[in-house]
Amino acid sequence: MKHLIDIKDLSIEEINELICVANSIIADENSYSQMCRGKILATLFFEPSTRTRLSFESAMLRLGGQVLGFSSANSSSAAKGESVSDTIRTVSCYSDIIAMRHPKEGAPFVGSLTSTVPVINAGDGGHNHPTQTLTDLLTIHQEKGRLTNFTIGFCGDLKFGRTVHSLVTALTRYTGIKFVFISPHELTIPEYLKKEVLAKNQIAYTETTNLEDSIHDLDILYMTRVQKERFFNEDDYVRLKDYYILTKAKLEKAKTDLCIMHPLPRVNEIAVEVDSDPRACYFKQVSYGRYIRMALILKLLDLLN
Amino acid sequence: MNIDTIKNGYVIDHIKAGQAMEIYDYLRLGDLDCSVAIIKNARSQKMGRKDIIKIDQNIPIDIDVLGYLDPNITINVIRNNEKVKKFKPDLPEKLVNVISCKNPRCITSIEQELPHICILTDPENRTYRCQYCESKVN
């Protein structure tokens, strides 16, 4: 039995397989509509979420399966003090696969130790969010036709942004990728990623605080939100939340085939006027998220063969 | 002092001066009912000053802890008044309940029964990370 806790749990071959299956679902979704008939997905969300939970539930329903679960810790036995291990052990008696989000880092890993069914990490605090990474990889593959040889800029909160950390780690396994990290000094990419992921793999990168000066080099621009829930100090959040705002004017210097991505939800960091620009891919990214989760559910339930 | 004063046990030698009590605590030697000697600031040709711990009982020693605390420590195993083995502990790949994760966002901060497991991720810099949240712990 396989779990997905960290994107590193998947080999490059397995990621490519998932992208291949997702592409096949995109091409002919109907042929997959009954593949999970009789199967139940439990969505255990100890932290609020709109996109990820609904994406998982939609993915399972589109595969002909059923869903159950809760959408906040207050409506689960966690409110009574039950441990993550006990909750997962219990829920694995009711379901065939579990998607779990928890505000504490490492909670899905703890759950996977006692679960009798596959556990998917649907986000654990500021730590990992592997299905967002798979979504991002599928988006890049769909929009660029490849996962190699491009320049990608990450902009915004690169310190707490778990989607950034996971995607950077995943992309280091592909060749010919140049990284540009654009962030305020307070929210730069963590040292451990620079040393233990980028430097260890001898991957060159640049760091800057200026989006306008680097946008013309980019094939992909990955914008992120400054997340209020990651700050202990409200003043710091207020000071940094509008540091970068992508507008049509700033896009004038960008390549015509730039792919603008964002894990969503967006607050102010991308002006609404950018939504109509053909380079805006962030809502397509939402659709890709469902397709890759469909592929992942099929794989973890061993239904691909 | 001579190690032949111990019949069956261990001599933990070449401890950095001043670190003996830390090792004493980590190994929970205070819980033993045998003789335990701590020699502080002993003269050493190699180190100038060093600490030594002598344990007069054949107990299982947590080598992992010693390797983490100081890989330059020497462990002498004494059986029937003879030194039968002398070695330096390796830097352990994994530490269980030796160091605690201090990350307030880590699951270990709310689930007290979880063992604190740390993994060696960078041997060159002796860096350990929490197995759950991957935060640096030392």
Side-chain angles (χ1 to χ4, degrees):
Chain A
M1 184 178 62
K2 192 170 173 72
H3 306 286
L4 177 60
I5 305 302
D6 186 316
I7 193 67
K8 297 191 289 288
D9 295 341
L10 295 172
S11 67
I12 202 161
E13 290 78 18
E14 288 173 312
I15 290 174
N16 292 342
E17 180 194 13
L18 288 172
I19 288 173
C20 185
V21 173
N23 286 334
S24 170
I25 296 170
I26 292 168
D28 181 13
E29 191 169 342
N30 277 344
S31 65
Y32 289 85
S33 65
Q34 295 300 315
M35 286 191 76
C36 281
R37 198 170 175 181
K39 301 287 184 187
I40 295 175
L41 165 76
T43 52
L44 310 187
F45 278 63
F46 296 81
E47 186 180 60
S49 157
T50 308
R51 222 162 316 277
T52 307
R53 183 171 62 84
L54 295 183
S55 178
F56 268 110
E57 294 185 355
S58 173
M60 191 53 162
L61 293 171
R62 294 277 189 182
L63 289 166
Q66 292 172 293
V67 296
L68 54 80
F70 53 81
S71 56
S72 82
N74 292 336
S75 55
S76 76
S77 285
K80 299 173 190 167
E82 186 177 50
S83 69
V84 166
S85 301
D86 285 359
T87 303
I88 297 293
R89 186 175 281 186
T90 304
V91 173
S92 56
C93 300
Y94 304 143
S95 59
D96 300 289
I97 186 165
I98 293 170
M100 173 184 172
R101 168 169 289 191
H102 199 285
K104 291 294 181 184
E105 299 171 7
F109 171 68
V110 170
S112 73
L113 298 177
T114 53
S115 177
T116 56
V117 300
V119 174
I120 302 170
N121 180 0
D124 57 338
H127 187 214
N128 282 319
H129 194 357
T131 59
Q132 180 64 50
T133 307
L134 289 172
T135 300
D136 297 339
L137 292 172
L138 177 62
T139 304
I140 294 170
H141 190 268
Q142 278 280 325
E143 298 299 317
K144 292 289 173 193
R146 63 187 190 278
L147 288 172
T148 54
N149 301 312
F150 54 75
T151 300
I152 182 166
F154 291 91
C155 179
D157 174 8
L158 309 188
K159 181 179 181 183
F160 298 113
R162 61 186 170 195
T163 59
V164 172
H165 305 166
S166 290
L167 183 55
V168 168
T169 304
L171 287 175
T172 55
R173 294 197 275 181
Y174 294 89
T175 56
I177 299 177
K178 292 177 186 166
F179 294 90
V180 181
F181 298 117
I182 308 153
S183 69
H185 292 300
E186 295 88 341
L187 297 175
T188 56
I189 196 130
E191 281 300 313
Y192 85 89
L193 265 178
K194 292 186 212 169
K195 284 183 185 167
E196 295 174 26
V197 178
L198 294 165
K200 195 174 172 183
N201 293 297
Q202 296 174 317
I203 292 167
Y205 63 89
T206 54
E207 286 187 283
T208 176
T209 56
N210 195 312
L211 172 61
E212 287 91 325
D213 286 354
S214 44
I215 199 165
H216 62 279
D217 279 335
L218 307 178
D219 298 301
I220 297 162
L221 173 58
Y222 195 100
M223 295 294 294
T224 62
R225 172 174 63 103
V226 175
Q227 301 172 86
K228 189 177 182 181
E229 61 269 32
R230 306 287 171 232
F231 284 83
F232 288 123
N233 183 336
E234 174 101 17
D235 292 344
D236 287 344
Y237 167 70
V238 171
R239 187 166 50 83
L240 296 168
K241 71 185 176 73
D242 293 331
Y243 205 94
Y244 299 105
I245 298 176
L246 185 65
T247 59
K248 273 195 166 180
K250 286 179 187 167
L251 280 170
E252 280 175 11
K253 289 184 187 170
K255 290 181 181 175
T256 53
D257 63 346
L258 173 72
C259 169
I260 305 166
M261 297 171 64
H262 191 302
L264 302 181
R266 155 187 59 180
V267 184
N268 293 326
E269 59 278 3
I270 301 179
V272 175
E273 63 181 15
V274 176
D275 295 358
S276 57
D277 192 297
R279 292 169 288 189
C281 297
Y282 32 92
F283 287 110
K284 282 194 265 182
Q285 211 175 331
V286 177
S287 297
Y288 296 138
R290 177 167 66 81
Y291 294 124
I292 200 75
R293 288 183 178 100
M294 289 170 78
L296 179 65
I297 289 168
L298 290 172
K299 180 173 176 59
L300 295 184
L301 287 176
D302 214 11
L303 295 173
L304 284 178
N305 299 319
Chain B
M1 294 183 75
N2 296 321
I3 57 168
D4 58 8
T5 54
I6 288 176
K7 193 175 177 189
N8 284 296
Y10 303 90
V11 175
I12 305 171
D13 200 357
H14 300 117
I15 302 168
K16 199 192 299 176
Q19 205 181 20
M21 283 311 295
E22 192 181 348
I23 290 172
Y24 182 90
D25 290 337
Y26 267 115
L27 292 177
R28 298 183 179 176
L29 298 180
D31 296 344
L32 300 177
D33 54 8
C34 66
S35 302
V36 176
I38 296 174
I39 301 150
K40 296 189 72 174
N41 296 319
R43 287 180 194 281
S44 163
Q45 283 188 335
K46 200 164 67 175
M47 302 170 69
R49 297 277 177 184
K50 65 177 182 180
D51 290 356
I52 304 168
I53 295 176
K54 297 185 176 191
I55 307 162
D56 196 10
Q57 190 173 309
N58 182 12
I59 52 156
I61 279 199
D62 188 351
I63 304 295
D64 289 352
V65 176
L66 297 177
Y68 163 69
L69 289 175
D70 186 351
N72 296 317
I73 284 171
T74 306
I75 302 167
N76 299 283
V77 182
I78 314 298
R79 296 290 179 268
N80 298 319
N81 298 312
E82 296 284 332
K83 181 162 68 180
V84 295
K85 195 176 176 188
K86 179 180 179 179
F87 63 98
K88 288 188 179 297
D90 292 328
L91 202 56
E93 290 292 322
K94 187 183 197 179
L95 292 169
V96 180
N97 290 331
V98 175
I99 17 179
S100 301
C101 181
K102 301 287 189 297
N103 175 9
R105 298 181 179 90
C106 181
I107 186 66
T108 56
S109 68
I110 57 166
E111 299 220 348
Q112 310 298 329
E113 81 287 358
L114 285 172
H116 285 260
I117 303 172
C118 302
I119 307 292
L120 179 65
T121 56
D122 182 359
E124 200 177 317
N125 294 308
R126 300 167 50 84
T127 301
Y128 284 86
R129 291 190 178 278
C130 171
Q131 188 179 30
Y132 306 99
C133 71
E134 297 182 271
S135 296
K136 200 173 164 184
V137 290
N138 63 331

